Amino acid sequence: MKPPPFLHAAPETLPGALELLAEHGDAARILAGGQSLMPLLVMRMARPALLLDINRCAGLSGITRHDGETRIGAMTRQIAVQRAPETPALLARALGWAGPRAVRNRGTLGGSMAHADPSAEAPAAALCLDAVMVLESRRGQRLVPAAEFFLDALVTAIAPDEMLLEIRIPPGHPRHAFAETGVRQADLAMAAIATDLALDRQGRISAIRIAAIGAANRPVRLPLAEQALLGQSPTPATLRDAARAGLAGAEPPSDLIASAAHRVAVLEGLLADAVLEACAA
Amino acid sequence: MSMGHNDPRSVPRKEDARLLRGQARFLDDIEPPAGTLHAIFLRSPHAHARILGIDASAAHALPGVLVLTAEDFPHLAPLSPDLPLAGFAPVPRPIICTDTVRFVGDLVALILAPDAYIAEDAAELVLVDYDPLPAVVTLEDALADGAAEVHPQAPGNLLFQNRTATEGFDAAFAAAAHVFREDFSASRVATVSLEPRGCLARHDAGLGETTLFSSTQVPHLLRNTISTALGIPESALRVVAPDVGGGFGMKASVYPEELLAVAAARKLNRPIKWVGDRQDDFLASSHARDMRFGVEMAMEADGTLIGFRLDVLANAGAYPGIPFGSSIEAGGGPRTFPGPYRFKHYAFRTRAVATHTTPSGPYRGVAAPVGFMALEGMMDRAAAALGLDRAEIRRRNLLVDADYPFINASGIRYDNGPHHALLARALELSDYRGFATRDTDPDRLRGIGIACITEQTGQGSARYRARGLLRIPGIEAARLKVEPDGSAVLFVSQTTQGQGHLTTFAQMAAESLGIAPEHITVQEGDTALTPYGSGTFASRGVVAGGGAVITAAETIAAKMKRIAGHIMEADPADIILRDGVAEVNGVPGLSISIEEIARAAHAMRPIGMPPGETFGLDTTQHWDQPVSSVSAACHVAEISIQRRTGQIRVERYAITHDCGRMINPMIVDGQTHGAVLQGLGPVLMERLLHDSEGQLMTTTLLDYTLPTMLDMPDIAMDHIETPALDTLGGVKGVAEGGTIGAVPALVNAIAHAMRGYDINIRAIPVRPETLLRAISTKDSR
Ligand SMILES: Cc1cc2nc3c(=O)[nH]c(=O)nc-3n(C[C@H](O)[C@H](O)[C@H](O)COP(=O)(O)OP(=O)(O)OC[C@H]3O[C@@H](n4cnc5c(N)ncnc54)[C@H](O)[C@@H]3O)c2cc1C
């Protein structure tokens, strides 16, 4: 468990970092908190010629509000995101599940998005909240909605010369919940559901977004479940039917942790739990 | 919740201050001497293959890299662990593979480089030409007709087999009112000590002496095995175990890496350092408990046990381990099975099966956690069939005081054992009766499970001879030296990996010496300092090591009394040693300090020694425990299962425990707590998985899920101290019982929670997936 040889660069400015990215492209790999990249390096599953360490780059971290929208710098540590009062509550809750405290002290929000582990909590919360990823390169800036950002397990829309600069989250609905199960307490998610929603005066669901971990090899929204619940009161029967509808076409991974069928069964239960909890909150 | 901390005997552990301050020195903390070569072991990627050729030229081209293969060690004889007893196949273990590899991880080459990074670069450049051969991975594969043979010396892949039946067995079974049958199985697990294995070998060519630092539980055994294999005098090899970050049995074996490090250090006259990583650990440290127990249990109509017939299988992997051999699990399974119950009739067949997988070895409790899952699982099945409460059926069969001394059906002697009291108190502690009042959450299925267990501890030389294990002496020894200032040093033949020996042994010696434990330094783990012994495994610490410590302390105490009597002109029989002084019984105010005695003993006082007495306070004493000592416990686990996910949560946990007289109850509690977690893991989540070709798929801690502190239940614990009659000091061994009890208690609790569902819980781990399937099948009906 020792990495192969690599060059290490630690530019102190964003233009410096983008310059190096433009030059090395595929051969470079950005080092943020290192919580996922270092294990890949020492297992020799990642072999970048250049490790582009952006920990000394100025201006990449911090949380601000703009017209109700929350903007979180990619290098903001997960623990800081979790604790900041500006952070949307659903994202903060999701991060509470994202591994041990020591890992969150070091791991960054941008790293979690860019790494795009199918079991990661923050990407599912971002998808649920319709977050927008700000990608920057020497070629310029582009904004990619979360729905178009997570392409596959460990694959995102980030081009080789681009860096994830910021995560922008528009204002959400008043109620939310995050339900997860894993093999252990506080383990990687085997399956999880993130939801935020609003109720009308009669207690019917007037707006709802649902994202799932474990329903595919990336976080996905469950539009059929969302539609099934819209305008409904959250009774056990509607929840069960909505969960079945939402997961009907799902193609979850089958792996050492759980089979696809088990993931679907668990997700159905989690979906009902999460929506009920959000409505009761 | 345990009371151990409030007991005055629970003195703080001497080892903790330096561990907590980061002052401990583990293997990798030892500064490598100048010129050290760092080692990486090139391992087979195939479960079974012929080696057609090895091309290391590209690797050799890297700066300072050396690649050594079997050709470079022509004199390294393969190791054979087992005596040529009937039932054992004489299968040797090559130290480095010559022409055939037999498991993924088998050792093919030793790569040496100026640092570990370059060594790994070099490892990628060594090209080995393999001709893959058919592999047998599971027990079923290996026993199938026409299965590939792992070794020509082991036809049918049987490394060890044994069968026996007590007299009149068949008739007793035939006459039984009930015979219950079940097959139990356990998935293979890894030990996963926090610190993987590693070693550093240093050769002094001028003196012809080699020092091996190794993260081991058995320094003396290691020295003996290496010197035999390398043909060097034992006196020219020193083995030192530095601080060791956990072993749990896995580090009680001798591994090829240690032998090759010494061989290479001597061949090249360069220090060799190897620090295994987690992948090395998963692939090449011993695996455990890939076992099946087929059980038939005969009972009278009222639930009184008549006897058992067992068919035990253990997947032993590719080679017999050194020194415990191929019978470690297959032999241990039936031996430890009978537990705390009274029955006379016993028959078993047991087989250790060779497969193309990592060799199995001892792991906390060895086969007993699986054996007790079977035994206690049968008790629950019988209770259900006979309509008896699960506690009641146990009461009807547990040994009572009138039974002692009792020799069980596998020949183990019990001097005593408060099994009924343990059960009764555990039912109270767990509020067994109040279970129904807690079983009220509609979202969760709740269950409670009982396990009554025994733990065989402190085996002596006779037991290892009977098992055909000549390499394991079974004895322990202690050298005790009181210095001129009255402080003492105790050198023990064992070595500690977290058991608290430095504290416990000091406390044991203090009892007769009258010297405070803090003035007694315990030294272990260095063959140059400590007398010869077996090592630390199989809960032998206080019984076997402690026997030597007590004998040494009593020997020195007697001599100090003679000297004190001489100085104070009193009868040595009237001298009492306590609190650092020697007092004369019945003569208040007359005393001298132990320091004065020690100075006299070192010719540093005007007064001489008593006539005929030699100078010095220094003795070495050996102890051979004549019969094993049996500890006991009762575990009651209460769990709940989330109805919608199948996820299991441990809600309550109670243990009652007897390990004889306790030296330090806090350490006993700590050992038991840790052991419970190592029983919980294999029940709820741990398993090593191979694909059909024999590739190990769980080689990181992402795939091999270990429980963490968050999965650990609060444990209510009580001790019923029943001093042993067959050991020195009334002690019984401790440390494996937690695991042995946790497995059956949790499995029985899960089975109880699933009552009313169509599922038979008889294999571990119990996966949420299996539970949820049964729950939704019924609930959706
Ligand atoms: C013990 C442990 C437990 C964990 N448990 C969880 C868990 O339960 N849930 C969970 O979600 N995660 C978990 N993780 C992963 C962890 O949260 C990582 O922090 C996170 O996935 C990556 O963030 P990082 O800042 O450490 O990124 P790095 O590890 O530094 O980088 C990860 C990847 O993202 C790329 N990258 C990073 N930043 C950027 C950027 N700004 N622009 C473009 N690319 C970038 C890197 O090049 C690399 O490919 C765990 C990790 C560990 C070690």
Side-chain angles (χ1 to χ4, degrees), chain A residues 1-5 42-44 47 117 181-188 190 244 255-263 265-270 272-273 276, chain B residues 116-117 120-121 124 277-279 642 644-649 684-685 687 689 697-708 710-711 767-769 772-773:
Chain A
M1 291 209 188
K2 301 279 183 257
V42 299
M43 289 193 278
R44 300 189 170 221
R47 298 172 162 265
D117 188 304
T181 117
V183 174
R184 295 168 282 199
Q185 306 290 323
D187 196 10
L188 283 185
M190 179 248 285
R244 290 208 173 139
D255 53 28
L256 298 183
I257 300 296
S259 71
H262 184 59
R263 283 198 162 90
V266 167
L267 278 168
E268 287 179 5
L270 289 176
D273 287 351
L276 264 186
Chain B
Y117 295 80
E120 281 202 28
D121 296 344
E124 293 186 327
D277 60 28
R278 195 53 72 193
Q279 235 136 31
Q642 223 283 354
R644 280 206 279 271
T645 61
Q647 215 73 17
I648 300 167
R649 188 167 75 200
L684 299 186
M685 58 188 80
R687 57 173 182 169
L689 280 178
M697 296 187 289
T698 44
T699 60
T700 71
L701 291 173
L702 267 181
D703 307 313
Y704 188 83
T705 40
L706 277 180
T708 73
L710 298 175
D711 301 292
R767 309 191 60 226
E769 184 152 359
L772 186 59
R773 211 176 300 129

Side-chain angles (χ1 to χ4, degrees), chain B residues 139 181-186 289-296 309-314 329-338 346 348-350 366-375 378 762:
Chain B
L139 286 165
R181 292 186 180 79
E182 192 61 90
D183 291 312
F184 296 87
S185 67
R289 299 205 204 116
D290 186 346
M291 295 191 77
R292 311 275 176 281
F293 272 75
V295 188
E296 287 172 72
R309 190 200 324 259
L310 302 187
D311 192 356
V312 177
L313 284 169
E329 293 183 323
R335 189 171 59 248
T336 50
F337 180 85
Y346 195 35
F348 63 80
R349 172 171 71 150
T350 187
V366 188
V370 189
F372 279 94
M373 168 172 96
L375 175 63
M378 292 312 286
R762 55 180 183 168

